[in-house]
Amino acid sequence: MSAYSREERSLTKSVAPALAAVVAVLGVWVFAGAGDAAAAENVLSGKPRVGTVRAMVPRRGRDAGRLVVWVRVDHAAGTLRGVLGERPETVHRGRVVARVGGVSRVATRQLDLDRRRVAGGYFLRFPRSTGRAVASGAARRVPVSVSVSQTVDLDSDGDAEERAAVAATRRVALATPATTIEPKDG
């Protein structure tokens, strides 16, 4: 005879299907609501950071006479929930706006959602008039105002589930014409 009595076996037979149904319903709810749960919870952990900012006015080449600003950004890492909720249609974008004087330029980049911070370099080219004004000025430092935003739209519906932004102002030494900006990460 088995260790179970007849009553215990009948209880197990009646409870097991009910328990399986509850687990199935919960499982469907968790997987179906993964996108909504990710939208309710943070998709990014932290904010992006503004790293290096460099400025120069090249004398030769296609950008001769223009003010060229290069900004290195350490983009915020994704949370585990955000990375797991990522789909093929997910739009993750980094955007940098640099302002020198009254002129601003915008650069964007498509990003991958990753659990680590991802570094990215952005070139922003200003008009020749701004380059002439900076080059002719007595001060060799250029005030550059930088704002960085990072958005994640998991289901590509135009409604960002997460947005992180940061702003910084730096007085950047104007690089000599012999110096070139050749960052390793673009």
Side-chain angles (χ1 to χ4, degrees):
M1 184 143 176
S2 75
Y4 293 108
S5 69
R6 192 175 286 189
E7 293 172 12
E8 290 174 351
R9 272 186 264 161
S10 66
L11 181 63
T12 304
K13 286 182 181 179
S14 65
V15 171
L19 186 59
V22 168
V23 168
V25 168
L26 285 175
V28 168
W29 176 74
V30 167
F31 286 117
D36 298 333
E41 189 178 315
N42 289 342
V43 178
L44 297 173
S45 63
K47 293 184 177 186
R49 291 185 208 144
V50 177
T52 309
V53 178
R54 297 187 188 217
M56 68 177 300
V57 180
R59 290 187 180 164
R60 289 182 285 164
R62 72 175 195 171
D63 293 326
R66 293 179 180 262
L67 173 66
V68 178
V69 174
W70 179 75
V71 180
R72 179 186 168 96
V73 176
D74 292 323
H75 294 286
T79 61
L80 180 60
R81 181 114 200 181
V83 171
L84 293 177
E86 186 176 23
R87 302 177 195 152
E89 65 267 15
T90 296
V91 178
H92 183 203
R93 183 167 291 142
R95 182 174 191 255
V96 174
V97 179
R99 179 180 285 283
V100 175
V103 181
S104 64
R105 288 292 180 258
V106 177
T108 60
R109 172 178 284 183
Q110 190 72 23
L111 303 170
D112 292 325
L113 202 55
D114 197 349
R115 294 276 296 145
R116 301 174 280 124
R117 282 190 173 274
V118 177
Y122 295 83
F123 278 99
L124 299 118
R125 292 168 175 84
F126 287 82
R128 288 185 181 11
S129 59
T130 306
R132 283 192 298 270
V134 168
S136 68
R140 297 304 294 172
R141 296 188 79 71
V142 180
V144 179
S145 177
V146 178
S147 64
V148 178
S149 65
Q150 186 175 346
T151 56
V152 179
D153 183 3
L154 289 174
D155 49 5
S156 186
D157 63 352
D159 232 357
E161 276 77 27
E162 183 78 22
R163 177 178 161 78
V166 68
T169 301
R170 308 251 173 97
R171 292 191 65 77
V172 181
L174 193 60
T176 62
T179 305
T180 60
I181 302 172
E182 295 178 13
K184 293 175 185 157
D185 58 2

